[in-house]
């Protein structure tokens, strides 16, 4: 069931386009992440959904109603700001009650809803504190309680983890997933951190230059990127993107299916995406191996990562073998995301090749 | 280290003493029984305070000053507040120039400005009227009020109003419930400054007021030039200081009972 439909959304400040032709659909109860680097328009899109910014063009439908020109205060959309934007002169309870007060809810009902919301974020004992008397993590939970107390039709989160320290981030990530499961609220969250997006979202919308360049499940976004941008932005580490010169990477004979696909792609400049976990360091001269120099093996606890340089100077990350630093080869292990060929000029995906 | 502390304490003490000394002289002299201003006082008496209340002329001039200063304060805080809000939140093109334009009257020596403004008033037929006088005061107090309130608004996160709107508050309500209560201190400061500047003004009022609207400072100045210091004025001065001290203590205590 589609619940939220955005189509053709445009926004420009002066001559600078911030959003260009943004269109997407969200089902009721979905958890969506808008993922992109800073300046990609994701926060603008969130504010536009909240009604704090008006689009220059396009349409926004929520549950069959046209929201495009409806002001923020009539939208019933909860927004959690990146800096929380708690009212510093009001207690925790009065912050949470604010939206209920604006809706003229009877005192008794408002009180029980505030208690319920504070219970949900585990802050029932803090109702009489001022925001300045809370830690950053607690302030954020107040902001979430304030947004959900009005029972919004949509919950928007702007970079909810970016102002928290690394230790707290993992906990809050789990809390957010839990909150979503318990409230069933359709949630849209903005983040620049691909790990957050992959771990939290039902679907991820990757944004770049004011456009949604790809929207899909975390698995799809990671393993079947539509563009070189998505391939380079998603994953830790992301895919190796190798420039393929017309006469191929020096000294490398690709496995037959891959060689055929490259030949079929014609004479245009190509980029080949190979994921680090699908590459294995072997001895130099191994069949179909890419000749490379092993420069370092990085120890990361649970895994190790080999840093390599090809003979034409391009760098590569791979799964290390027993080889020490020096001349080695790199082969495809046949696991994980398939080798993917992109048009180097447009960045568009041409084909994924099973080897 | 010890010596440094001593020097600093002495320095601060001297500065405070110089700031407060004239006020102390004024208050002590007001309680003197003599017919002329002298210091130190020789005999204590309340006679000049009683005389101050009995003098219809002084009473009228103080009342006039309070009326003019109150109206000037209300108008300059109201308009200055709106101007500040427009400059901060509206981000109009040429914001810096607009700000400079509003502050412009403060750039001229007041005497020069007052003479010029008197011409404007008499051309427009407002010379010697209460409206003209208040207009003149507003033009010098509004920039001050606007500047103070502008600084206050600039420090308040605009996302607070955005949050209020997303929670269902209309823009006006969002402003009244978030920005305004947070700006209360700055607005009170702007009002106090405006009131004092207007209440104490001699230069502009001397030119603009005309015979019908002689304010207290103008009356005082005229008295001083004609007959020297009248002890009644010292008593009135002491009472004004008293009111200001009480007001300052009250505003200091005000925020404490704010809260949950």
């Amino acid at each position: 069931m589609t619940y939220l439909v955005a189509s053709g959304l445009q926004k420009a400040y002066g001559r600078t386009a911030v959003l260009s032709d943004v269109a997407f659909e969200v089902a009721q109860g979905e958890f969506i992440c808008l993922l992109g680097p800073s300046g990609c328009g994701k926060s603008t899109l969130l504010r536009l959904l909240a009604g704090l910014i008006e689009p220059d063009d396009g349409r926004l439908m929520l549950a069959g109603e046209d929201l495009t020109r409806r002001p923020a205060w009539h939208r019933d959309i909860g927004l959690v700001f990146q800096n929380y934007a708690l009212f510093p002169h009001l207690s925790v309870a009065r912050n949470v009650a604010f939206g209920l007060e604006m809706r003229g809810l009877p005192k008794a009902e408002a009180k029980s809803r505030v208690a319920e919301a504070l219970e949900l974020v585990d802050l029932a004992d803090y109702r009489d504190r001022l925001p300045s008397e809370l830690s950053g993590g607690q302030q954020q939970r107040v902001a979430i309680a304030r947004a959900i107390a009005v029972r919004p039709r949509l919950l928007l989160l702007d970079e909810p983890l970016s102002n928290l320290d690394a230790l707290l981030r993992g906990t809050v990530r789990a809390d957010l997933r839990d909150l979503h499961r318990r409230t069933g609220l359709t949630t849209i969250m903005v983040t620049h951190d691909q790990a957050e997006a992959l771990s939290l979202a039902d679907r991820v919308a990757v944004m770049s230059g004011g456009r949604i360049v790809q929207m899909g499940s975390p698995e799809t976004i990671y393993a079947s990127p539509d563009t070189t941008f998505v391939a380079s932005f998603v994953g830790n580490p992301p895919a190796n993107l190798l420039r393929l010169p017309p006469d191929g990477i020096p000294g490398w004979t690709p496995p037959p299916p891959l060689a055929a696909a490259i030949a079929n792609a014609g004479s245009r400049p190509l980029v080949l995406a190979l994921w680090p976990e699908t590459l294995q360091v072997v001895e130099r001269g191994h069949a179909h191996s890419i000749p490379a120099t092993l420069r370092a093996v990085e120890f990361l606890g649970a895994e190790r990562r080999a840093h390599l340089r090809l003979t034409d100077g391009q760098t590569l990350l791979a799964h290390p073998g027993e080889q020490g630093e020096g001349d080695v080869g790199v082969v495809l292990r046949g696991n994980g995301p398939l080798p993917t060929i992109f048009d180097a000029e447009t960045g568009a995906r041409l084909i994924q090749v099973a080897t | 280290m010890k010596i440094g502390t001593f020097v600093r304490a002495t320095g601060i003490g001297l500065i405070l003493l110089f700031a407060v000394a004239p006020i102390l002289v004024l208050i002590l002299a007001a309680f003197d029984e003599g017919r002329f201003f002298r210091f130190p006082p020789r005999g204590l008496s309340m006679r000049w305070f009683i005389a101050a209340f009995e003098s219809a002329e002084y009473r009228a001039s103080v009342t006039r000053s309070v009326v003019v200063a109150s109206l000037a304060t209300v108008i300059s805080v109201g308009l200055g507040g709106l101007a500040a809000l427009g400059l901060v939140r509206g981000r109009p093109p040429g914001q810096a120039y607009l700000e400079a334009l509003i502050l412009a009257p403060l750039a001229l020596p007041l005497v020069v400005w007052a003479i010029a403004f008197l011409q404007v008033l008499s051309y427009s037929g407002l010379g010697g009227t209460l409206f003209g006088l208040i207009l003149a005061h507003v033009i010098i107090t509004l920039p001050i009020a606007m500047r103070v309130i502008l600084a206050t608004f600039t420090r308040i996160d605009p996302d607070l109003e955005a949050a209020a709107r997303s929670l269902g508050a209309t823009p006006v309500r969002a402003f009244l419930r978030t920005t305004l209560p947070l700006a209360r201190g700055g607005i009170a400061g702007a009002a106090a400054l405006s009131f004092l500047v207007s209440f104490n003004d001699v230069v502009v009022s001397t030119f603009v007021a005309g015979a019908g609207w002689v304010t207290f400072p103008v009356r005082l100045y005229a008295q001083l030039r004609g007959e020297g210091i009248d002890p009644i004025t010292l008593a009135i001065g002491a009472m004004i200081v008293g009111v200001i001290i009480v007001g300052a203590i009250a505003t200091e205590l005000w925020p404490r009972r704010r809260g949950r």
Side-chain angles (χ1 to χ4, degrees):
Chain A
M1 250 300 293
T2 37
Y3 181 60
L4 174 72
V5 183
S7 48
L9 292 176
Q10 310 266 4
K11 183 71 196 177
Y13 291 114
R15 285 205 188 149
T16 322
V18 187
L19 294 175
S20 314
D21 198 24
V22 168
F24 60 92
E25 295 187 359
V26 177
Q28 186 147 23
E30 255 192 313
F31 196 130
I32 301 290
C33 276
L34 301 177
L35 171 68
S38 60
C40 71
K42 58 192 190 300
S43 285
T44 305
L45 178 55
L46 202 72
R47 282 175 178 254
L48 199 145
L49 295 175
L52 297 173
I53 297 175
E54 255 197 51
D56 298 335
D57 200 6
R59 229 153 87 105
L60 203 59
M61 305 281 291
L62 182 65
E65 282 173 61
D66 191 340
L67 281 193
T68 318
R69 303 285 161 210
R70 186 177 298 185
W73 52 98
H74 287 145
R75 282 198 184 190
D76 278 327
I77 290 179
L79 173 57
V80 177
F81 289 76
Q82 183 171 7
N83 62 2
Y84 318 138
L86 296 178
F87 307 130
H89 55 306
L90 300 180
S91 67
V92 166
R94 293 204 52 203
N95 262 282
V96 178
F98 192 93
L100 306 173
E101 233 174 276
M102 292 300 124
R103 284 164 177 73
L105 228 67
K107 277 249 158 67
E109 196 186 340
K111 214 177 156 194
S112 78
R113 280 233 225 149
V114 168
E116 189 185 308
L118 285 176
E119 197 70 48
L120 204 60
V121 296
D122 208 14
L123 279 179
D125 296 339
Y126 294 80
R127 44 172 300 122
D128 294 325
R129 302 273 189 100
L130 286 178
S132 56
E133 298 166 333
L134 302 179
S135 72
Q138 289 168 333
Q139 290 184 17
Q140 179 183 56
R141 276 141 66 197
V142 175
I144 291 173
R146 183 176 69 176
I148 60 179
V150 301
R151 306 207 172 132
R153 299 193 286 175
L154 200 62
L155 180 63
L156 307 176
L157 306 166
D158 193 358
E159 299 267 7
L161 303 170
S162 65
N163 285 345
L164 303 174
D165 60 59
L167 268 177
L168 203 54
R169 236 172 260 177
T171 325
V172 174
R173 223 194 263 180
D175 286 348
L176 285 177
R177 204 176 307 132
D178 192 45
L179 183 82
H180 177 247
R181 191 177 49 74
R182 280 158 66 182
T183 60
L185 283 170
T186 311
T187 305
I188 299 181
M189 167 176 144
V190 155
T191 177
H192 64 270
D193 182 331
Q194 52 85 30
E196 270 171 30
L198 295 185
S199 77
L200 276 170
D202 295 320
R203 284 191 303 146
V204 179
V206 184
M207 293 187 68
S208 166
R211 293 170 191 278
I212 292 181
V213 288
Q214 188 174 4
M215 189 162 181
S217 68
E219 291 78 8
T220 311
I221 294 288
Y222 178 66
S224 301
D226 281 347
T227 68
T228 47
F229 171 78
V230 177
S232 68
F233 194 70
V234 177
N236 182 31
N240 297 298
L241 293 179
L242 296 179
R243 277 176 290 105
L244 282 184
D247 45 354
I249 288 174
W252 183 40
T253 318
L258 191 52
I262 292 170
N264 278 342
S267 57
R268 57 186 146 183
L270 300 175
V271 167
L272 176 64
L274 300 171
W275 278 259
E277 69 272 24
T278 68
L279 297 176
Q280 175 71 52
V281 176
V282 293
E283 73 280 10
R284 175 64 69 94
H286 193 283
H288 302 301
S289 72
I290 309 169
T293 312
L294 183 60
R295 303 176 66 216
V297 175
E298 203 180 354
F299 177 66
L300 297 165
E303 56 166 333
R304 296 182 309 146
R305 202 178 279 164
H307 291 254
L308 302 124
R309 182 183 298 214
L310 306 190
T311 50
D312 62 357
Q314 301 196 73
T315 58
L316 200 66
L317 292 178
H319 191 80
E322 300 308 313
Q323 289 71 22
E325 288 175 24
D327 290 347
V328 294
V330 177
V331 292
L332 285 160
R333 298 164 85 188
N335 64 339
L338 301 175
T340 307
I341 299 169
F342 296 93
D343 184 319
E345 259 157 37
T346 64
R349 184 181 67 200
L350 299 174
I351 189 169
Q352 291 200 292
V353 189
T355 47
Chain B
M1 199 61 166
K2 273 267 165 66
I3 290 175
T5 317
F6 175 74
V7 168
R8 197 164 52 203
T10 317
I12 293 172
L14 279 176
I15 291 170
L16 288 178
L17 185 68
F18 269 102
V20 175
I23 299 173
L24 289 177
V25 168
L26 168 76
I27 292 175
L28 290 175
F31 285 100
D32 187 18
E33 53 164 8
R35 293 187 34 78
F36 304 103
F37 173 55
R38 61 188 183 191
F39 191 83
R42 271 162 244 166
L44 284 182
S45 142
M46 291 294 286
R47 64 183 283 204
W48 301 115
F49 287 90
I50 294 162
F53 280 105
E54 280 172 352
S55 159
E57 206 194 332
Y58 277 120
R59 253 194 349 247
S61 67
V62 170
T63 309
R64 253 175 243 133
S65 277
V66 170
V67 167
V68 170
S70 303
L71 288 171
T73 300
V74 168
I75 297 171
S76 52
V77 168
L79 292 181
L82 289 176
L85 191 65
L87 286 171
V88 173
R89 295 288 143 84
R91 300 219 201 116
Q95 181 175 353
Y97 296 103
L98 283 173
E99 218 180 303
L101 193 68
I102 296 175
L103 294 175
L106 300 184
L108 288 178
L110 269 186
V111 185
V112 179
W113 181 83
I115 293 170
F117 191 69
L118 185 60
Q119 302 303 313
V120 176
L121 280 185
S122 47
Y123 272 118
S124 49
L126 292 169
T129 64
L130 174 63
F131 182 75
L133 179 61
I134 290 174
L135 197 61
H137 277 218
V138 164
I139 295 176
I140 52 170
T141 54
L142 186 139
I144 299 169
M146 199 247 353
R147 201 71 205 82
V148 173
I149 299 176
L150 189 74
T152 308
F153 281 163
T154 309
R155 284 199 310 269
I156 297 174
D157 182 2
D159 271 351
L160 294 180
E161 276 181 51
R165 273 181 280 142
S166 84
L167 288 164
T170 59
V172 172
R173 248 183 137 186
F175 171 76
L176 294 178
R177 295 292 299 272
T178 62
T179 305
L180 190 62
L182 291 170
R184 201 161 45 185
I187 292 172
L193 265 179
S194 302
F195 188 90
L196 291 176
V197 166
S198 167
F199 189 84
N200 294 331
D201 169 74
V202 176
V203 179
V204 172
S205 305
T206 304
F207 283 96
V208 175
W213 289 97
V214 176
T215 59
F216 176 63
V218 174
R219 175 73 190 72
L220 205 71
Y221 192 61
Q223 161 82 32
L224 197 71
R225 293 188 49 185
E227 300 146 51
I229 295 174
D230 181 346
I232 293 179
T233 61
L234 298 178
I236 297 177
M239 287 189 277
I240 292 172
V241 170
V243 168
I244 290 174
I245 290 174
V246 169
I249 291 173
T251 43
E252 258 320 293
L253 295 177
W254 180 266
R256 306 255 162 94
R257 53 172 204 81
R258 197 176 46 151
R260 326 271 136 136

